[in-house]
mmCIF file of all heavy atoms in Angstrom:
data_model
loop_
_atom_site.group_PDB
_atom_site.id
_atom_site.type_symbol
_atom_site.label_atom_id
_atom_site.label_comp_id
_atom_site.label_asym_id
_atom_site.label_seq_id
_atom_site.Cartn_x
_atom_site.Cartn_y
_atom_site.Cartn_z
ATOM 1 N N VAL A 146 34.608 -34.814 131.441
ATOM 2 C CA VAL A 146 33.657 -34.320 132.497
ATOM 3 C C VAL A 146 34.361 -33.640 133.648
ATOM 4 O O VAL A 146 34.049 -32.489 134.064
ATOM 5 C CB VAL A 146 32.869 -35.628 132.964
ATOM 6 C CG1 VAL A 146 32.012 -35.164 134.196
ATOM 7 C CG2 VAL A 146 31.934 -36.125 131.907
ATOM 8 N N VAL A 147 35.524 -34.180 134.028
ATOM 9 C CA VAL A 147 36.340 -33.467 135.002
ATOM 10 C C VAL A 147 36.916 -32.164 134.629
ATOM 11 O O VAL A 147 36.781 -31.302 135.375
ATOM 12 C CB VAL A 147 37.454 -34.461 135.578
ATOM 13 C CG1 VAL A 147 38.371 -33.728 136.369
ATOM 14 C CG2 VAL A 147 36.895 -35.719 136.309
ATOM 15 N N GLY A 148 37.232 -32.068 133.475
ATOM 16 C CA GLY A 148 37.729 -30.782 132.899
ATOM 17 C C GLY A 148 36.540 -29.886 132.835
ATOM 18 O O GLY A 148 36.882 -28.683 133.059
ATOM 19 N N PHE A 149 35.448 -30.264 132.357
ATOM 20 C CA PHE A 149 34.245 -29.254 132.384
ATOM 21 C C PHE A 149 34.002 -28.785 133.752
ATOM 22 O O PHE A 149 33.815 -27.642 133.934
ATOM 23 C CB PHE A 149 33.073 -30.007 131.820
ATOM 24 C CG PHE A 149 31.868 -29.325 131.957
ATOM 25 C CD1 PHE A 149 31.544 -28.172 131.116
ATOM 26 C CD2 PHE A 149 30.798 -29.663 132.837
ATOM 27 C CE1 PHE A 149 30.444 -27.476 131.217
ATOM 28 C CE2 PHE A 149 29.600 -29.072 133.057
ATOM 29 C CZ PHE A 149 29.411 -27.869 132.062
ATOM 30 N N TRP A 150 34.028 -29.688 134.854
ATOM 31 C CA TRP A 150 33.726 -29.251 136.175
ATOM 32 C C TRP A 150 34.737 -28.336 136.811
ATOM 33 O O TRP A 150 34.508 -27.444 137.513
ATOM 34 C CB TRP A 150 33.570 -30.513 137.133
ATOM 35 C CG TRP A 150 32.391 -30.518 137.856
ATOM 36 C CD1 TRP A 150 32.117 -29.880 139.085
ATOM 37 C CD2 TRP A 150 31.071 -30.926 137.511
ATOM 38 N NE1 TRP A 150 30.884 -29.971 139.520
ATOM 39 C CE2 TRP A 150 30.255 -30.576 138.638
ATOM 40 C CE3 TRP A 150 30.513 -31.639 136.383
ATOM 41 C CZ2 TRP A 150 28.787 -31.033 138.576
ATOM 42 C CZ3 TRP A 150 29.219 -31.935 136.412
ATOM 43 C CH2 TRP A 150 28.364 -31.643 137.444
ATOM 44 N N ARG A 151 36.018 -28.659 136.357
ATOM 45 C CA ARG A 151 37.124 -27.787 136.880
ATOM 46 C C ARG A 151 37.081 -26.327 136.579
ATOM 47 O O ARG A 151 37.448 -25.543 137.204
ATOM 48 C CB ARG A 151 38.482 -28.486 136.340
ATOM 49 C CG ARG A 151 39.679 -27.784 136.965
ATOM 50 C CD ARG A 151 40.906 -28.509 136.519
ATOM 51 N NE ARG A 151 41.121 -29.668 137.193
ATOM 52 C CZ ARG A 151 41.239 -30.959 136.541
ATOM 53 N NH1 ARG A 151 41.113 -31.081 135.320
ATOM 54 N NH2 ARG A 151 41.310 -32.049 137.325
ATOM 55 N N GLN A 152 36.373 -26.115 135.413
ATOM 56 C CA GLN A 152 36.236 -24.655 134.926
ATOM 57 C C GLN A 152 35.605 -23.697 135.975
ATOM 58 O O GLN A 152 36.130 -22.636 136.133
ATOM 59 C CB GLN A 152 35.547 -24.549 133.698
ATOM 60 C CG GLN A 152 36.138 -25.223 132.465
ATOM 61 C CD GLN A 152 35.265 -25.088 131.253
ATOM 62 O OE1 GLN A 152 34.409 -24.197 131.168
ATOM 63 N NE2 GLN A 152 35.448 -25.855 130.262
ATOM 64 N N ARG A 153 34.522 -24.193 136.700
ATOM 65 C CA ARG A 153 33.945 -23.257 137.480
ATOM 66 C C ARG A 153 33.862 -23.707 138.965
ATOM 67 O O ARG A 153 33.725 -22.800 139.870
ATOM 68 C CB ARG A 153 32.402 -23.104 137.129
ATOM 69 C CG ARG A 153 32.253 -22.409 135.826
ATOM 70 C CD ARG A 153 32.752 -20.951 135.973
ATOM 71 N NE ARG A 153 32.109 -20.097 134.979
ATOM 72 C CZ ARG A 153 32.442 -19.932 133.670
ATOM 73 N NH1 ARG A 153 33.309 -20.739 133.144
ATOM 74 N NH2 ARG A 153 32.009 -18.955 132.811
ATOM 75 N N HIS A 154 34.017 -25.018 139.143
ATOM 76 C CA HIS A 154 33.924 -25.474 140.587
ATOM 77 C C HIS A 154 35.067 -26.580 140.834
ATOM 78 O O HIS A 154 34.863 -27.744 141.061
ATOM 79 C CB HIS A 154 32.642 -26.268 140.799
ATOM 80 C CG HIS A 154 31.462 -25.293 140.679
ATOM 81 N ND1 HIS A 154 31.191 -24.489 141.733
ATOM 82 C CD2 HIS A 154 30.585 -25.112 139.690
ATOM 83 C CE1 HIS A 154 30.168 -23.603 141.370
ATOM 84 N NE2 HIS A 154 29.721 -24.067 140.144
ATOM 85 N N PRO A 155 36.368 -25.969 140.875
ATOM 86 C CA PRO A 155 37.592 -26.996 141.047
ATOM 87 C C PRO A 155 37.324 -27.668 142.438
ATOM 88 O O PRO A 155 37.989 -28.777 142.602
ATOM 89 C CB PRO A 155 38.720 -26.064 140.903
ATOM 90 C CG PRO A 155 38.157 -24.581 141.097
ATOM 91 C CD PRO A 155 36.735 -24.634 140.679
ATOM 92 N N GLU A 156 36.788 -27.027 143.290
ATOM 93 C CA GLU A 156 36.686 -27.602 144.684
ATOM 94 C C GLU A 156 35.758 -29.019 144.710
ATOM 95 O O GLU A 156 35.901 -29.653 145.580
ATOM 96 C CB GLU A 156 36.060 -26.659 145.693
ATOM 97 C CG GLU A 156 34.621 -26.327 145.540
ATOM 98 C CD GLU A 156 34.280 -25.416 144.443
ATOM 99 O OE1 GLU A 156 35.194 -24.867 143.663
ATOM 100 O OE2 GLU A 156 33.037 -25.167 144.334
ATOM 101 N N GLU A 157 35.026 -29.082 143.594
ATOM 102 C CA GLU A 157 34.161 -30.282 143.468
ATOM 103 C C GLU A 157 34.720 -31.418 142.672
ATOM 104 O O GLU A 157 34.205 -32.428 142.596
ATOM 105 C CB GLU A 157 32.836 -29.823 142.958
ATOM 106 C CG GLU A 157 32.000 -28.811 143.838
ATOM 107 C CD GLU A 157 30.660 -28.490 143.236
ATOM 108 O OE1 GLU A 157 30.301 -29.048 142.252
ATOM 109 O OE2 GLU A 157 30.058 -27.598 143.821
ATOM 110 N N VAL A 158 35.931 -31.177 142.032
ATOM 111 C CA VAL A 158 36.501 -32.087 140.966
ATOM 112 C C VAL A 158 36.685 -33.403 141.709
ATOM 113 O O VAL A 158 36.295 -34.487 141.121
ATOM 114 C CB VAL A 158 37.706 -31.452 140.425
ATOM 115 C CG1 VAL A 158 38.480 -32.627 139.683
ATOM 116 C CG2 VAL A 158 37.322 -30.336 139.429
ATOM 117 N N ARG A 159 37.378 -33.400 142.940
ATOM 118 C CA ARG A 159 37.551 -34.719 143.426
ATOM 119 C C ARG A 159 36.360 -35.563 143.754
ATOM 120 O O ARG A 159 36.217 -36.751 143.473
ATOM 121 C CB ARG A 159 38.307 -34.538 144.832
ATOM 122 C CG ARG A 159 38.727 -35.887 145.547
ATOM 123 C CD ARG A 159 39.571 -35.634 146.715
ATOM 124 N NE ARG A 159 40.987 -35.531 146.221
ATOM 125 C CZ ARG A 159 41.950 -35.024 146.919
ATOM 126 N NH1 ARG A 159 41.771 -34.531 148.118
ATOM 127 N NH2 ARG A 159 43.141 -35.067 146.430
ATOM 128 N N ALA A 160 35.256 -35.007 144.246
ATOM 129 C CA ALA A 160 33.992 -35.715 144.457
ATOM 130 C C ALA A 160 33.330 -36.116 143.191
ATOM 131 O O ALA A 160 32.941 -37.269 143.048
ATOM 132 C CB ALA A 160 33.070 -34.895 145.196
ATOM 133 N N VAL A 161 33.414 -35.206 142.145
ATOM 134 C CA VAL A 161 32.737 -35.534 140.885
ATOM 135 C C VAL A 161 33.592 -36.801 140.253
ATOM 136 O O VAL A 161 32.990 -37.681 139.735
ATOM 137 C CB VAL A 161 32.814 -34.362 139.876
ATOM 138 C CG1 VAL A 161 32.525 -34.848 138.418
ATOM 139 C CG2 VAL A 161 31.870 -33.316 140.420
ATOM 140 N N ASP A 162 34.917 -36.746 140.276
ATOM 141 C CA ASP A 162 35.749 -37.812 139.755
ATOM 142 C C ASP A 162 35.416 -39.219 140.581
ATOM 143 O O ASP A 162 35.320 -40.272 139.902
ATOM 144 C CB ASP A 162 37.238 -37.486 139.905
ATOM 145 C CG ASP A 162 38.073 -38.448 139.078
ATOM 146 O OD1 ASP A 162 37.782 -38.890 137.995
ATOM 147 O OD2 ASP A 162 39.164 -38.840 139.643
ATOM 148 N N ALA A 163 35.289 -39.080 141.841
ATOM 149 C CA ALA A 163 34.933 -40.264 142.535
ATOM 150 C C ALA A 163 33.570 -40.812 142.144
ATOM 151 O O ALA A 163 33.370 -42.091 142.072
ATOM 152 C CB ALA A 163 34.947 -40.031 143.994
ATOM 153 N N GLU A 164 32.616 -39.958 141.867
ATOM 154 C CA GLU A 164 31.276 -40.426 141.465
ATOM 155 C C GLU A 164 31.443 -41.071 140.095
ATOM 156 O O GLU A 164 30.639 -42.105 139.737
ATOM 157 C CB GLU A 164 30.303 -39.200 141.447
ATOM 158 C CG GLU A 164 29.942 -38.812 142.781
ATOM 159 C CD GLU A 164 28.883 -37.618 142.805
ATOM 160 O OE1 GLU A 164 27.849 -37.804 142.169
ATOM 161 O OE2 GLU A 164 29.104 -36.564 143.375
ATOM 162 N N LEU A 165 32.243 -40.427 139.164
ATOM 163 C CA LEU A 165 32.388 -41.152 137.904
ATOM 164 C C LEU A 165 32.990 -42.470 137.957
ATOM 165 O O LEU A 165 32.550 -43.416 137.312
ATOM 166 C CB LEU A 165 33.355 -40.172 137.000
ATOM 167 C CG LEU A 165 32.594 -38.930 136.492
ATOM 168 C CD1 LEU A 165 33.671 -37.922 136.028
ATOM 169 C CD2 LEU A 165 31.535 -39.166 135.429
ATOM 170 N N VAL A 166 34.050 -42.615 138.818
ATOM 171 C CA VAL A 166 34.614 -43.896 138.938
ATOM 172 C C VAL A 166 33.694 -44.906 139.527
ATOM 173 O O VAL A 166 33.554 -46.123 139.087
ATOM 174 C CB VAL A 166 35.886 -43.811 139.868
ATOM 175 C CG1 VAL A 166 36.507 -45.168 140.190
ATOM 176 C CG2 VAL A 166 36.902 -43.033 139.081
ATOM 177 N N TYR A 167 32.920 -44.586 140.601
ATOM 178 C CA TYR A 167 31.985 -45.418 141.112
ATOM 179 C C TYR A 167 30.894 -45.847 140.049
ATOM 180 O O TYR A 167 30.469 -47.090 139.955
ATOM 181 C CB TYR A 167 31.322 -44.809 142.324
ATOM 182 C CG TYR A 167 30.321 -45.720 143.071
ATOM 183 C CD1 TYR A 167 30.735 -47.010 143.664
ATOM 184 C CD2 TYR A 167 29.018 -45.350 143.077
ATOM 185 C CE1 TYR A 167 29.707 -47.661 144.232
ATOM 186 C CE2 TYR A 167 27.995 -46.161 143.743
ATOM 187 C CZ TYR A 167 28.394 -47.385 144.301
ATOM 188 O OH TYR A 167 27.501 -48.193 145.001
ATOM 189 N N GLY A 168 30.308 -44.913 139.385
ATOM 190 C CA GLY A 168 29.469 -45.149 138.235
ATOM 191 C C GLY A 168 29.933 -46.003 137.298
ATOM 192 O O GLY A 168 29.147 -46.980 136.751
ATOM 193 N N HIS A 169 31.137 -45.959 136.887
ATOM 194 C CA HIS A 169 31.829 -46.714 135.946
ATOM 195 C C HIS A 169 31.703 -48.223 136.439
ATOM 196 O O HIS A 169 31.420 -49.156 135.709
ATOM 197 C CB HIS A 169 33.243 -46.374 135.649
ATOM 198 C CG HIS A 169 34.033 -47.375 134.952
ATOM 199 N ND1 HIS A 169 33.863 -47.657 133.721
ATOM 200 C CD2 HIS A 169 35.067 -48.050 135.465
ATOM 201 C CE1 HIS A 169 34.869 -48.482 133.277
ATOM 202 N NE2 HIS A 169 35.629 -48.838 134.351
ATOM 203 N N THR A 170 32.001 -48.483 137.722
ATOM 204 C CA THR A 170 32.013 -49.919 138.195
ATOM 205 C C THR A 170 30.574 -50.262 138.312
ATOM 206 O O THR A 170 30.308 -51.424 137.866
ATOM 207 C CB THR A 170 32.580 -49.741 139.736
ATOM 208 O OG1 THR A 170 33.987 -49.245 139.709
ATOM 209 C CG2 THR A 170 32.594 -51.143 140.310
ATOM 210 N N GLN A 171 29.580 -49.468 138.695
ATOM 211 C CA GLN A 171 28.227 -49.966 138.628
ATOM 212 C C GLN A 171 27.744 -50.325 137.290
ATOM 213 O O GLN A 171 27.086 -51.348 137.095
ATOM 214 C CB GLN A 171 27.337 -48.809 139.259
ATOM 215 C CG GLN A 171 27.522 -48.601 140.731
ATOM 216 C CD GLN A 171 26.417 -47.425 141.095
ATOM 217 O OE1 GLN A 171 26.534 -46.365 140.613
ATOM 218 N NE2 GLN A 171 25.616 -47.856 142.147
ATOM 219 N N VAL A 172 27.993 -49.561 136.253
ATOM 220 C CA VAL A 172 27.552 -49.768 134.906
ATOM 221 C C VAL A 172 28.166 -51.057 134.374
ATOM 222 O O VAL A 172 27.572 -51.959 133.808
ATOM 223 C CB VAL A 172 27.843 -48.533 133.939
ATOM 224 C CG1 VAL A 172 27.673 -48.973 132.543
ATOM 225 C CG2 VAL A 172 26.963 -47.451 134.400
ATOM 226 N N THR A 173 29.440 -51.158 134.578
ATOM 227 C CA THR A 173 30.164 -52.304 134.088
ATOM 228 C C THR A 173 29.504 -53.559 134.621
ATOM 229 O O THR A 173 29.266 -54.717 133.921
ATOM 230 C CB THR A 173 31.754 -52.267 134.435
ATOM 231 O OG1 THR A 173 32.256 -51.063 133.910
ATOM 232 C CG2 THR A 173 32.513 -53.523 133.942
ATOM 233 N N GLU A 174 29.445 -53.590 135.941
ATOM 234 C CA GLU A 174 28.794 -54.721 136.731
ATOM 235 C C GLU A 174 27.318 -55.091 136.214
ATOM 236 O O GLU A 174 26.955 -56.165 135.965
ATOM 237 C CB GLU A 174 28.717 -54.594 138.160
ATOM 238 C CG GLU A 174 30.148 -54.634 138.736
ATOM 239 C CD GLU A 174 30.315 -54.319 140.300
ATOM 240 O OE1 GLU A 174 29.231 -53.994 140.842
ATOM 241 O OE2 GLU A 174 31.477 -54.447 140.735
ATOM 242 N N ALA A 175 26.606 -53.935 136.029
ATOM 243 C CA ALA A 175 25.056 -54.114 135.638
ATOM 244 C C ALA A 175 25.114 -54.663 134.243
ATOM 245 O O ALA A 175 24.213 -55.434 133.846
ATOM 246 C CB ALA A 175 24.361 -52.784 135.751
ATOM 247 N N ARG A 176 25.994 -54.156 133.332
ATOM 248 C CA ARG A 176 25.916 -54.684 131.905
ATOM 249 C C ARG A 176 26.262 -56.237 131.847
ATOM 250 O O ARG A 176 25.852 -56.947 131.118
ATOM 251 C CB ARG A 176 26.828 -53.869 131.006
ATOM 252 C CG ARG A 176 26.201 -52.582 130.673
ATOM 253 C CD ARG A 176 26.852 -51.918 129.509
ATOM 254 N NE ARG A 176 26.382 -50.564 129.185
ATOM 255 C CZ ARG A 176 26.697 -49.928 128.200
ATOM 256 N NH1 ARG A 176 27.735 -50.229 127.336
ATOM 257 N NH2 ARG A 176 26.037 -48.792 127.853
ATOM 258 N N GLU A 177 27.149 -56.628 132.777
ATOM 259 C CA GLU A 177 27.567 -58.053 132.787
ATOM 260 C C GLU A 177 26.274 -58.850 133.153
ATOM 261 O O GLU A 177 26.195 -60.105 132.568
ATOM 262 C CB GLU A 177 28.558 -58.371 133.768
ATOM 263 C CG GLU A 177 29.951 -57.811 133.278
ATOM 264 C CD GLU A 177 30.956 -57.915 134.340
ATOM 265 O OE1 GLU A 177 30.777 -58.510 135.477
ATOM 266 O OE2 GLU A 177 32.110 -57.360 134.134
ATOM 267 N N ILE A 178 25.414 -58.413 133.844
ATOM 268 C CA ILE A 178 24.089 -59.203 134.285
ATOM 269 C C ILE A 178 22.835 -58.683 133.511
ATOM 270 O O ILE A 178 21.778 -59.224 133.756
ATOM 271 C CB ILE A 178 23.990 -59.160 135.777
ATOM 272 C CG1 ILE A 178 23.588 -57.710 136.312
ATOM 273 C CG2 ILE A 178 25.048 -59.909 136.573
ATOM 274 C CD1 ILE A 178 23.161 -57.782 137.799
#
């Protein structure tokens, strides 16, 4: 996903990566319950 975003909007990669990491945490916790 980060590689896809980097192609056209490299300035957004840091924010996209942070959203992915946060989403990963949310999904992991949600699946546990």
Side-chain angles (χ1 to χ4, degrees):
V146 174
V147 167
F149 171 73
W150 228 273
R151 185 175 286 121
Q152 289 181 22
R153 292 293 201 288
H154 296 284
E156 72 283 0
E157 296 177 9
V158 166
R159 183 173 273 165
V161 166
D162 191 41
E164 288 181 55
L165 288 166
V166 171
Y167 182 64
H169 168 68
T170 302
Q171 287 182 301
V172 167
T173 302
E174 291 172 358
R176 282 194 179 183
E177 286 175 8
I178 61 171

